[in-house]
Amino acid sequence: MAAQGIVLRNNILVGGGSRRVELPAQHRPIFEEGAALIFMRWTALQLGVQNEWGGSRSAEKAQELLHDVINWFYNTKDHEMFDLQELLDEALQVDFTIQAEDDSPYQVARLLVNMHNQVAAGDFSYVNEMKSQAAAAAASQAAAASQRAPNGLPDADESSSDEDDDEEGSQGSAEAMDAEGGEDMDMDGGGAAAQQQQQQGPVIDADGFQVVQRKTRGGRR
């Protein structure tokens, strides 16, 4: 019987603390690829990199954080999700002056722990799903770039078609993230929420932090 505060979902521990799950050496490349894909879908972090909120080394800082997180899984005795959440939240604040109001450090920590445990058990389905979505997104962007008009702008019909495709892709990604416990979080760095905040400019709080705000739809409170 699971301890109080811990829920078993698809044989994965969710909530509360979790003992370290040993990751077979041959599964490490798959886990590391999955971690990189989750980071690529993390809107708050990608906004910090794209806008260089961490300075000229923003991209390097994001890679260093990814490396630190991977080593955290390899070297930490217990994989406490909330310890990982604190690590991610602190990195956003210290390295990128980002105050995440979208609960994304919690969601990313939860996805990482669950994905790690799945890969350790030989289940690569979620990593493969993310790889397929990333490949589809890259193919769509390449196709859109090849169809641009001579002036560098998409034709009106092509632009409308691309917008429809983007909406369908974003909806599919959101549904997949909800199934993994990613509620109320835009995990697509190129999504509408990221573009909207880039267009409007950063929101700065009283302490000088960039604020990544929660989306308007319901979720964790």
Side-chain angles (χ1 to χ4, degrees):
M1 181 176 180
Q4 185 175 4
I6 299 177
V7 178
L8 282 173
R9 178 179 299 168
N10 296 328
N11 295 322
I12 302 299
L13 288 175
V14 178
S18 61
R19 300 293 296 176
R20 176 175 176 172
V21 176
E22 292 296 333
L23 183 71
Q26 65 269 27
H27 294 177
R28 285 191 173 192
I30 299 172
F31 163 68
E32 292 172 11
E33 183 178 15
L37 288 167
I38 289 174
F39 267 47
M40 288 174 59
R41 297 157 65 103
W42 186 6
T43 298
L45 179 65
Q46 294 306 318
L47 280 172
V49 171
Q50 293 166 13
N51 292 286
E52 294 192 339
W53 290 343
S56 60
R57 292 187 62 252
S58 292
E60 294 177 37
K61 289 180 178 180
Q63 286 301 312
E64 290 169 359
L65 176 58
L66 174 60
H67 184 264
D68 289 344
V69 166
I70 290 172
N71 282 334
W72 181 89
F73 277 97
Y74 293 162
N75 301 321
T76 303
K77 180 179 179 180
D78 295 329
H79 292 156
E80 295 283 354
M81 184 185 68
F82 295 109
D83 289 345
L84 180 57
Q85 175 189 351
E86 290 180 2
L87 185 157
L88 296 172
D89 200 14
E90 181 179 2
L92 284 185
Q93 296 184 46
V94 173
D95 292 337
F96 298 95
T97 62
I98 292 176
Q99 184 69 47
E101 293 186 351
D102 60 353
D103 289 338
S104 61
Y106 163 83
Q107 301 295 348
V108 172
R110 183 177 180 180
L111 284 172
L112 285 166
V113 170
N114 283 352
M115 185 269 294
H116 171 273
N117 294 351
Q118 289 174 350
V119 171
D123 180 0
F124 310 143
S125 59
Y126 184 56
V127 176
N128 289 334
E129 179 185 349
M130 289 192 294
K131 288 170 62 176
S132 297
Q133 291 174 352
S140 177
Q141 291 174 358
S146 67
Q147 294 174 358
R148 291 188 181 279
N151 61 1
L153 298 175
D155 294 334
D157 293 341
E158 292 169 354
S159 176
S160 176
S161 176
D162 289 342
E163 288 176 0
D164 292 341
D165 291 342
D166 288 343
E167 289 177 0
E168 292 176 0
S170 297
Q171 182 178 1
S173 297
E175 291 173 352
M177 295 302 298
D178 287 342
E180 290 294 329
E183 69 274 12
D184 198 23
M185 178 182 176
D186 183 358
M187 285 286 289
D188 182 357
Q195 295 176 4
Q196 181 180 13
Q197 185 155 355
Q198 284 180 309
Q199 293 169 357
Q200 294 176 345
V203 178
I204 311 297
D205 69 8
D207 297 320
F209 286 94
Q210 315 277 357
V211 179
V212 176
Q213 296 174 311
R214 182 192 301 276
K215 295 195 293 184
T216 54
R217 67 183 179 87
R220 292 180 67 256
R221 290 289 183 266

